[in-house]
Amino acid sequence: MPDAWRTPHSAVLALLAWLTGLAALQQCARLPEARELAAVLLLAAALAGLALLRPRAWPRGLLLALSLGLLAFGQGAWRAQQRLDQALPAAWEGRDLLLSGRIASLPQAVQGQGGLPGRRFVFMVERAEDPQRSAEPQVPPRLLLSAYAQPGVPLPDWRAGDHWQLLVRLRRPHGLSNPHAFDYELWLFEQGLRATGVLRPGGHRLLEAGGAWRIDRWRQRLRDAIQRHVPDPGAAGVLVALSLGEQAAITRTDWGLFRDTGISHLVAISGLHITMFAWAAGWAVAGLWRRSARSCLWLPAPRAGLWAGVGVALAYALFSGWGVPAQRTVWMLLTLALLRQLGLRWPWPLSLLLAACVVTAIDPWAISQAGFWLSFVAVGLLMASGPGLLPPGWRAQLGAALHSQWVATLGLAPLTLLFFQQISAVGLLANLVAIPVVSLLITPLALAGSLVPLLWDLAVLCLQGLMLWLRWLAGLPWAVWHVPVAPLWAQVCGLLAALLLVLPLPWGSRLLGLPLALGLLWPAVPRPAPGQLELLAADVGQGTAVLLRTANHSLLYDSGAQYTPQADAGQRVLLPLLRALGVRQLDLLLLSHRDQDHVGGAAALLAGLPVRALLSSLDEGHVLLAAGAPQRRCERGLRWRWDGVDFEILHPQPADYRREAVKPNALSCVLKVRAGARSLLLSGDIEAAQEQSLLGLPQLPSDLLMLAHHGSQTSSTPAFLDAVAPRQAFVQAGYRNRFGHPAPAVLARLQARGVPVWNSADCGALRWRSDAPGPSCQRELGRRYWQRTAVVEREVGLSGADDQGF
């Protein structure tokens, strides 16, 4: 062992350097080129060589740490480039391809538009063909495919391990891009899924049934058995998740309950469950091993129990699907077991750091996951807060358990706020009951039910009792605390505050953490100055949702689409976005018209956020009008003023509501907003006839224009564009949407007038301020190397969506 590693400080510094190098890589907008990467690795080698020549320990340790940090960065960049090179070429995007391969995951039940049932699974490609025989397709080895039922045609029996020939249409990884939101493209990248796709009708053929010995086949049989035996889909989904790690089996409602009560970590195959089974197996094997003197002479009982526990952890992780949290736990247990086997009595921080480095050496992208930090920090907090041995007596043990739960809850609160912008105020009470019930009762019963199915009934009874407790806690008015995203300095101070509060220090020292936490718990929310306006056009796919904020007011123009009967833009995008921005209530929700791509998320917004008023063109009797918020109809001439900013409705007119068989698009609310010398126009889905009726209005000219009807060729007529005379324009449209929005003809008209256009499919969320020269794109502000390189329409003018996309 190098001398520099014999001192704990040098070893800690080196391991921290490794993690820092990988963390720095995840912040890069692009990967280093080949010559840049070579320079990094050569510098790492030079620093390592120089360290060997240094006689003193501290410069040697520092040089080795710098070398290890550069090595981590370099090898991570090389591996990332290898994965990027597997991407689907743009030329094969949106084309029908004939693929042969194997289903490599448990097919998950999903719903398509209109509620059509479907399945989603990972597909390992063995052969790819072009039905047109034009060329040999270049297809990534792992794909995420979706198959949806056609009316009157049942879905095939998709089974893990089966070999199929499929007719598919692929596209490169793409996800919505909003501030402080889940990065779907990063998730696909971490999983090695370099393209997604949908099956085309009538093009699938079973080539060969999978072998019955495959683990995934056993897992699917167990899942099917649980779902047949347990009639309640919600309870069956939880048992499937606890047994097999299939989190997608849990309903959206139950996920919300688990999240709000702070027990989400328990209802999946977590490190706690795997460690628990490893400990139980190790204890049992060690006890049996001691009964044989010959066995103890060959291998001491503690070592036999240690490796038996690691083996059980590995087997359980494999059977549960080998998910990232399970992998992380197995590598951590294996690392700690090796340290014990080698007789290295390292301090616990050093052992934990080494385990983290081993995990990230195997999976460099683990460092980008919230679960990585939550799990390792939780273990570290428990180790730092007190002795690891249980005290004698049940009262003392109960007190130790309460102390550990308090430490974990309080210590992880800043990280939870940092990652999720919310914390469960009832999490301590919920976990006090949920941890023993889930870990000691429901999970073992769910697994044992594979041998004795009647035990699943007992597991359901335990789960029902737990759900009653959780629902009561979640119903308390203070159950969940949402906070806006805090600035970086406040996040760092909040983490230091949590560390001070849980360390075994005098209470006077601990209380110094309270003022450090204030910036994270009550961050100052940036707002426009009086007389100024901020627009944020959220990336909601094929739909409209635009947030307007003044100094003291917030208005949301439309609420995005309903993606499926179980998911919509309100729940998936807008509520998390509004909470992250510190919008605690909407002063006005303006729904331009009744189409689902404009009102699909309104129900979730009305249920999840106080809305002071509702303005719309909805028909009388529409279900959204029964939400209870004060309502008013959009009519030309309606004006109001907030914080020095003027708002005015330009369309529809009162007579438009009395017309027979009027199209919803024709009733779209058109909103004009003026902040000082700057102004904008939100035009809904109006078409050429409505644009004609607006010509001549003195209020029409605007600096920023939202293209009507997502840039459809039914709108944005030359006369209307001339009357508005925008300096800039934006369009909210889905990536490769089936409507072909925005239409190339519309983009050509704007290009001819010198008007730059921002498309949400390429820009992500768009931010515009009345006191700034132009818009900014989320994809440009938060660019990372794994994200799709967009062709922004304001640069090329004509890059309309492919009509054949989806």
Side-chain angles (χ1 to χ4, degrees), residues 629-642:
Q631 305 154 21
R632 189 165 180 179
R633 198 164 67 174
C634 287
E635 291 183 355
R636 180 185 293 183
L638 178 62
R639 301 181 181 89
W640 67 96
R641 185 179 179 87
W642 284 344

Side-chain angles (χ1 to χ4, degrees), residues 521-594:
L521 297 176
W522 289 281
V525 178
R527 303 282 304 206
Q532 299 297 331
L533 174 73
E534 180 188 67
L535 173 144
L536 180 65
D539 186 4
V540 293
Q542 185 67 20
T544 298
V546 180
L547 176 66
L548 301 176
R549 294 200 296 174
T550 64
N552 298 298
H553 294 82
S554 299
L555 180 155
L556 184 65
Y557 182 94
D558 283 339
S559 60
Q562 183 182 41
Y563 306 128
T564 72
Q566 300 296 325
D568 58 69
Q571 178 259 341
R572 288 276 183 91
V573 178
L574 297 176
L575 279 176
L577 176 62
L578 293 171
R579 289 166 178 163
L581 295 176
V583 178
R584 297 189 176 274
Q585 73 170 14
L586 288 175
D587 297 283
L588 180 63
L589 175 59
L590 196 163
L591 301 177
S592 64
H593 61 296
R594 71 185 187 204

Side-chain angles (χ1 to χ4, degrees), residues 1-352:
M1 181 182 297
D3 292 340
W5 284 75
R6 297 185 186 277
T7 60
H9 294 89
S10 298
V12 168
L13 184 62
L15 296 174
L16 285 175
W18 173 275
L19 296 176
T20 302
L22 286 177
L25 175 65
Q26 305 313 310
Q27 303 303 311
C28 291
R30 66 170 182 86
L31 291 176
E33 298 177 358
R35 56 185 178 182
E36 296 170 333
L37 182 57
V40 169
L41 295 176
L42 284 174
L43 181 58
L47 289 173
L50 186 61
L52 296 177
L53 302 176
R54 304 297 297 178
R56 300 180 63 183
W58 73 263
R60 177 179 296 185
L62 180 61
L63 290 172
L64 281 176
L66 292 173
S67 174
L68 199 59
L70 290 172
L71 177 63
F73 182 93
Q75 65 88 28
W78 179 78
R79 294 170 65 180
Q81 187 61 58
Q82 300 302 306
R83 186 160 291 184
L84 283 180
D85 290 342
Q86 297 176 348
L88 178 73
W92 294 106
E93 194 172 22
R95 296 174 60 177
D96 288 349
L97 300 175
L98 198 61
L99 306 180
S100 300
R102 176 174 58 86
I103 297 178
S105 69
L106 266 66
Q108 299 176 355
V110 294
Q111 280 189 321
Q113 293 183 354
L116 288 174
R119 294 292 185 270
R120 182 170 295 149
F121 50 83
V122 175
F123 192 72
M124 296 293 295
V125 178
E126 297 170 355
R127 183 180 179 184
E129 302 177 51
D130 178 14
Q132 305 299 324
R133 309 290 182 183
S134 61
E136 182 178 353
Q138 299 177 13
V139 176
R142 282 170 53 89
L143 307 173
L144 184 63
L145 300 182
S146 300
Y148 297 103
Q150 300 299 313
V153 181
L155 279 171
D157 184 21
W158 304 108
R159 313 291 296 181
D162 285 351
H163 284 73
W164 285 82
Q165 185 181 75
L166 307 174
L167 184 65
V168 303
R169 183 171 292 176
L170 300 178
R171 69 174 181 178
R172 291 178 292 173
H174 178 85
L176 304 180
S177 180
N178 291 289
H180 321 299
F182 174 72
D183 191 339
Y184 181 62
E185 293 180 38
L186 173 60
W187 181 84
L188 290 173
F189 187 81
E190 292 169 344
Q191 304 297 317
L193 300 168
R194 301 302 298 135
T196 62
V198 63
L199 270 64
R200 305 293 290 161
H204 52 268
R205 180 166 62 92
L206 178 63
L207 299 177
E208 181 184 1
W213 56 269
R214 290 186 182 275
I215 291 179
D216 280 344
R217 299 284 284 197
W218 296 345
R219 297 177 67 235
Q220 188 162 356
R221 289 173 183 170
L222 179 57
R223 184 188 68 179
D224 294 344
I226 292 175
Q227 292 174 341
R228 286 194 303 266
H229 187 87
V230 179
D232 179 8
V238 174
L239 296 188
V240 168
L242 291 172
S243 304
L244 304 172
E246 287 294 304
Q247 300 182 30
I250 300 177
T251 65
R252 187 181 72 172
T253 302
D254 287 345
W255 263 127
L257 177 65
F258 299 148
R259 182 179 60 250
D260 290 345
T261 53
I263 71 159
S264 298
H265 61 101
L266 291 176
V267 289
I269 301 299
S270 65
L272 174 64
H273 296 147
I274 294 176
T275 304
M276 177 190 69
F277 280 101
W279 177 86
W283 175 80
V285 169
L288 293 174
W289 203 269
R290 291 187 182 95
R291 296 178 178 272
S292 171
R294 182 176 299 180
S295 298
C296 290
L297 290 174
W298 178 70
L299 182 67
R303 296 290 170 84
L306 175 70
W307 290 107
V310 173
V312 168
L314 176 61
Y316 185 34
L318 287 171
F319 188 73
S320 67
W322 197 236
V324 173
Q327 295 178 38
R328 189 167 55 235
T329 304
V330 169
W331 300 134
M332 181 178 71
L333 292 175
L334 180 60
T335 302
L336 297 178
L338 283 172
L339 289 176
R340 290 282 299 273
Q341 182 69 36
L342 295 174
L344 298 177
R345 301 290 181 179
W346 285 10
W348 69 261
L350 193 56
S351 300
L352 199 62

